[in-house]
Amino acid sequence: SPPAFAEGGVFFQRNNGSDSQIFRLDPLTGETVWKSPYNAQWMRHLAPVAADGTVWVAGGYNGGLYGYRAETGAQLFFKELEMEDSWTPAYDSGRIFTLVSGNFREHDPGTGEIRWSLNLGEGAFPAYSFLNTKTPVLSEGKAFFHFGSKFYAVDLANRSVVWTVPGQFQGLPAVANGLVFVREAGGVAALSAQTGQRRGDYTHNFSSLPGMVSSDWTRSDQPIVTDNMLIVSAGSQTVVFDLVTRLARQ
C-alpha cells in the first residue's frame, strides 16, 4: 500500500496472500518498529489510517476492517465486512467510517462494531462500480462520496443523506471553500457542499494532451485545490486550472 505518516511512525501494508503484514517503520532510520499479520487474499490497498493511538486497515480473507495499537502492533479487533478491493477507512475527530459495497458505516474505533449504517440501495456493484469513491471524504460535518449513479452528501450528526446529484463521477473528491470538486467525463465538477448545486465546471480537451489515451482520464486520483488553482492528473499529464476563471493554465 502507499505509506501513511502519523502517530510518530510510517505505516504500510504488504499484501502477500496468506503471508500479509502491516508494518510500522521509524521515520528517521527506516528500521522496522513492528510488523503484525493480517488475513487477506490478493487485494490492493490504499494507505492505512492512524490516529488516537490506533491504526485501521482493510483486510480479511473475505473482507473486513482491522484495528491495531499504533505503539505495539497488537491487534485490537477484526470486523468482517463485504469483500471489495482498494479501500481504506476515513477518520475525523475520533470517529471512523467505511464505505464498502454500497454500505456507508460508522464503527466503534476500539472494537470495530458498527454504530450505524446507510445502505445506498444501488446494489453492491452497480454500473461503473470501478469508478466509485473507495474512501469517503469527511468535511464540514458531512461525508462526501459517489457510488453507482449518484454523488452523495451524508450528514454525520443526523446520520442521513442530505443531498444527491446524479452523474457518472470518478474517484476521490476534494472539499475546499465550501465546494466539492469531483472528476467526471471531460473535466471536474464543482458542487456546493451544502446543497449539491453545480457551481461550475473545469473542462479541457484532454484527448489533445501528448501521449493521452482514453483510459488515462478514467482514474481515481483526487484533485488538488490550492488558494488559486485546481490541479488534476490525467495519465502522465497534469492540468492546472485557474480556480476563479476555471480556464486551464497549462
Side-chain angles (χ1 to χ4, degrees):
S1 73
F5 175 66
E7 300 290 299
V10 177
F11 302 91
F12 69 93
Q13 289 172 266
R14 171 186 173 271
N15 189 313
N16 190 37
S18 61
D19 180 32
S20 299
Q21 298 92 23
I22 175 173
F23 287 77
R24 174 175 177 155
L25 305 184
D26 185 297
L28 299 179
T29 67
E31 295 294 320
T32 299
V33 177
W34 55 255
K35 62 178 180 179
S36 296
Y38 69 96
N39 200 10
Q41 297 189 48
W42 298 95
M43 63 180 63
R44 294 164 294 182
H45 298 296
L46 299 183
V49 174
D52 299 336
T54 304
V55 185
W56 299 275
V57 297
Y61 189 81
N62 292 311
L65 175 68
Y66 279 94
Y68 296 86
R69 293 198 184 279
E71 189 68 25
T72 66
Q75 183 179 321
L76 295 172
F77 68 83
F78 171 71
K79 177 63 178 177
E80 186 172 359
L81 300 173
E82 299 84 0
M83 168 63 81
E84 190 166 329
D85 203 20
S86 301
W87 66 272
T88 198
Y91 169 90
D92 185 46
S93 303
R95 304 172 72 182
I96 198 82
F97 300 87
T98 60
L99 176 61
V100 183
S101 297
N103 293 290
F104 177 75
R105 301 176 171 111
E106 180 177 4
H107 299 260
D108 184 288
T111 68
E113 291 303 310
I114 298 169
R115 290 179 169 174
W116 58 275
S117 66
L118 291 173
N119 184 289
L120 304 179
E122 297 196 47
F125 300 102
Y128 304 101
S129 62
F130 65 98
L131 300 176
N132 288 337
T133 303
K134 298 295 188 177
T135 300
V137 173
L138 310 181
S139 180
E140 303 179 13
K142 296 182 179 68
F144 299 97
F145 55 86
H146 70 89
F147 184 82
S149 62
K150 298 175 185 175
F151 192 94
Y152 292 81
V154 174
D155 188 301
L156 300 180
N158 295 330
R159 305 180 177 183
S160 61
V161 176
V162 290
W163 55 259
T164 63
V165 174
Q168 293 180 9
F169 300 101
Q170 304 170 10
L172 283 169
V175 184
N177 307 317
L179 296 175
V180 183
F181 298 87
V182 59
R183 298 166 68 111
E184 61 181 354
V188 176
L191 310 176
S192 167
Q194 292 300 315
T195 66
Q197 180 181 3
R198 187 177 288 259
R199 294 294 179 82
D201 296 284
Y202 298 79
T203 59
H204 186 67
N205 183 14
F206 292 96
S207 62
S208 68
L209 296 174
M212 276 284 290
V213 296
S214 59
S215 61
D216 284 338
W217 187 247
T218 309
R219 297 166 60 94
S220 60
D221 303 348
Q222 186 178 38
I224 297 173
V225 185
T226 71
D227 289 340
N228 60 354
M229 292 183 294
L230 174 69
I231 305 170
V232 187
S233 69
S236 61
Q237 304 295 322
T238 300
V239 180
V240 179
F241 293 95
D242 185 287
L243 201 59
V244 176
T245 67
R246 301 196 291 274
L247 298 176
R249 292 185 175 182
Q250 64 180 54

